[in-house]
Amino acid sequence: MSRIVKWFLASCTVLLYNVINAQNLDMLTVSKEINSLNNAKQYKASIEKIETILDDDSYTNYDHYKAYLLKSKTYKLLYNYTTAEECLRLALAVGERSNFKDEVRSRIKIEQLFIYFDLQKDTLVNKQLKSITKSDISFLDSENKAFY
C-alpha cells in the first residue's frame, strides 16, 4: 500500500473515531437545568455547569455555541450585559465552525437585539431590527418568537 493510501485510511479512521465519540449536548435537558438554577437564583451554579460543557473538548462546536448562548442569557439575568455580549461573540465564533452557520448567525443577531433593547439603545435596536429577516426568525424557539 502506498503512503498516501495509508495516510488517507488513518485520517478516515481518526475522523470516524472523533465523530462516533463526540458528545451531543441534550439541549432541552441542559436548558431546563440551567433555567431551574437561574429561577432559584443560583447563578454561580448555573455558570459553573455551563463552564463544564465549555471546558470539555468532547462536545461539538454547536454544543459549545449553545452553551455560550445559555451563559449569555444567565449574565443578562444578572444585568451584566458586557459579559452577556462577550458570550454572544464567543458563541458566534465557535458556532461559525459548526454545520449550522445560518442558525448561529440568526440567533446571535436576535439575542444581540434583545440586549440592545434592554439597554435602551434605540438606534442600535432599529438598525438590528432592519437587519433581521423572516429566515432569521424561523430559527427562533416559541419563547423567543413571543419576545420578538
Side-chain angles (χ1 to χ4, degrees):
M1 238 190 268
S2 73
R3 292 176 84 184
I4 294 174
V5 172
K6 286 180 183 178
W7 177 85
F8 177 75
L9 290 174
S11 297
C12 288
T13 303
V14 169
L15 179 64
L16 183 60
Y17 175 81
N18 287 335
V19 168
I20 290 171
N21 289 313
Q23 294 185 41
N24 283 319
L25 188 60
D26 178 3
M27 193 57 182
L28 186 58
T29 302
V30 173
S31 289
K32 285 180 180 179
E33 183 178 351
I34 297 302
N35 286 335
S36 178
L37 289 168
N38 287 342
N39 289 338
K41 298 188 182 346
Q42 294 180 10
Y43 305 113
K44 184 177 179 185
S46 176
I47 291 167
E48 288 172 352
K49 170 70 177 170
I50 295 166
E51 286 294 328
T52 62
I53 295 165
L54 294 172
D55 291 341
D56 189 339
D57 290 337
S58 68
Y59 287 107
T60 66
N61 287 326
Y62 187 66
D63 293 334
H64 285 156
Y65 148 78
K66 292 185 287 186
Y68 276 120
L69 279 182
L70 284 172
K71 191 174 180 183
S72 176
K73 289 181 179 186
T74 300
Y75 277 105
K76 276 176 44 181
L77 290 171
L78 293 168
Y79 304 104
N80 184 338
Y81 292 102
T82 302
T83 305
E85 286 182 299
E86 177 61 22
C87 290
L88 289 182
R89 282 190 286 279
L90 293 168
L92 179 62
V94 73
E96 288 276 327
R97 296 190 308 261
S98 76
N99 294 329
F100 305 97
K101 291 174 185 64
D102 291 337
E103 175 188 345
V104 167
R105 291 179 191 125
S106 297
R107 289 288 309 272
I108 298 300
K109 195 186 304 185
I110 292 168
E111 290 297 330
Q112 189 66 58
L113 169 69
F114 294 150
I115 289 176
Y116 292 153
F117 180 82
D118 287 351
L119 294 173
Q120 299 178 356
K121 293 184 176 182
D122 297 335
T123 305
L124 293 173
V125 168
N126 290 330
K127 181 180 176 185
Q128 198 76 346
L129 274 171
K130 290 176 185 173
S131 74
I132 295 172
T133 65
K134 286 184 180 183
S135 175
D136 293 329
I137 296 168
S138 71
F139 292 110
L140 291 179
D141 56 25
S142 58
E143 179 184 351
N144 283 320
K145 279 184 184 177
F147 283 114
Y148 182 77

